Amino acid sequence: MNLSIPNSLPITLQAAVARRELSAGQVLFHQGDPAQAMFVVEMGRLRLDRNTREGKTTVFQVARVGESFAESALFFEVYSCDAIAEIPSRLLVYSKQLLRTALNNHPALAEDFIERLLRKSQSLKMRLELRSLRSARDRVLHYLLVEAQPGETTVRFDRSLKEVAGDLGLTPEVLYRTLSRLEREGAITRTKGQITFYPSVA
């Protein structure tokens, strides 16, 4: 059973799955709104922002096709972040109560849910590791290493560098300067929409 594939789910849950279309920049929910559903990205891309008490905004997750978000809605009363469509998107919407019942009754579905949470935990760990690195150079190189597919040294971007800067906790200007420096050093090469890095040089 896979929450990204409605046809693989129990009949009762299949019948209850809704779809939601969002335009680029449209807000799905705000931090503090009543938590009513969990979502899976069927098309497009969503960014989850968490607002701190100090008035800062941190990118909590970028959810792409096949990825879920707002799983905490199943256990808490309000959403803990803002969800914003970065590009036109379509979502699978799973009602909180119906999904909880299905998870209790179908171990295979619960296993898929747990696997999703583990992948998200790994992603959050990577973000924390990035933020612990003080130099912008180290953050960028670590980010490229983590984002590259196994055995590859080229990272292809589906988001702007300005948005990537936010993921790294850097200003766009600092990211641009850092990339230029790495390019001068021969540690990376850049072409439109992708960066290749050279571990032996870095």
Side-chain angles (χ1 to χ4, degrees), residues 93-109:
V93 183
Y94 290 97
S95 164
K96 176 177 183 173
Q97 296 304 327
L98 288 173
L99 183 53
R100 285 193 63 166
T101 299
L103 289 170
N104 286 329
N105 294 333
H106 300 279
L109 182 61

Side-chain angles (χ1 to χ4, degrees), residues 34 52 103 127 134 184:
T52 68
L103 289 170
R127 289 181 183 277
R134 290 194 173 186
R184 289 194 304 271

Side-chain angles (χ1 to χ4, degrees), residues 18-196:
R19 283 178 168 81
R20 175 79 183 273
E21 303 257 352
L22 298 173
S23 57
Q26 185 175 350
V27 175
L28 176 63
F29 57 74
H30 287 288
Q31 185 172 327
D33 284 350
Q36 300 174 335
M38 191 198 88
F39 307 88
V40 176
V41 181
E42 190 172 44
M43 181 190 79
R45 188 173 68 242
L46 273 285
R47 186 183 76 250
L48 276 64
D49 292 343
R50 184 171 176 82
N51 304 305
T52 68
R53 293 180 180 179
E54 294 76 22
K56 296 182 179 179
T57 300
T58 300
V59 179
F60 184 68
Q61 179 189 358
V62 177
R64 295 176 170 84
V65 173
E67 296 180 341
S68 58
F69 62 94
E71 295 90 346
S72 62
L74 274 64
F75 310 101
F76 296 98
E77 296 302 315
V78 299
Y79 292 115
S80 60
C81 56
D82 297 340
I84 305 155
E86 289 194 331
I87 58 177
S89 303
R90 183 173 65 244
L91 310 174
L92 299 173
V93 183
Y94 290 97
S95 164
K96 176 177 183 173
Q97 296 304 327
L98 288 173
L99 183 53
R100 285 193 63 166
T101 299
L103 289 170
N104 286 329
N105 294 333
H106 300 279
L109 182 61
E111 185 176 336
D112 176 64
F113 185 80
I114 291 170
E115 185 180 342
R116 289 173 180 276
L117 293 180
L118 288 174
R119 286 199 298 267
K120 181 172 288 188
S121 175
Q122 288 297 105
S123 177
L124 288 173
K125 180 181 177 182
M126 183 271 287
R127 289 181 183 277
L128 289 174
E129 289 175 348
L130 279 174
R131 298 301 176 95
S132 70
L133 298 173
R134 290 194 173 186
S135 80
R137 185 182 188 278
D138 289 346
R139 286 192 194 186
V140 171
L141 289 173
H142 186 69
Y143 178 83
L144 293 173
L145 184 64
V146 170
E147 289 295 311
Q149 295 297 315
E152 294 189 5
T153 57
T154 296
V155 178
R156 295 163 185 83
F157 294 91
D158 60 358
R159 306 168 70 225
S160 71
L161 287 179
K162 181 179 180 181
E163 291 166 326
V164 171
D167 295 348
L168 293 168
L170 303 172
T171 65
E173 293 76 18
V174 169
L175 176 58
Y176 301 149
R177 286 199 301 269
T178 303
L179 290 174
S180 295
R181 173 190 169 190
L182 288 169
E183 202 164 24
R184 289 194 304 271
E185 294 173 355
I188 66 169
T189 56
R190 288 189 285 173
T191 56
K192 187 175 182 180
Q194 65 181 40
I195 295 175
T196 299

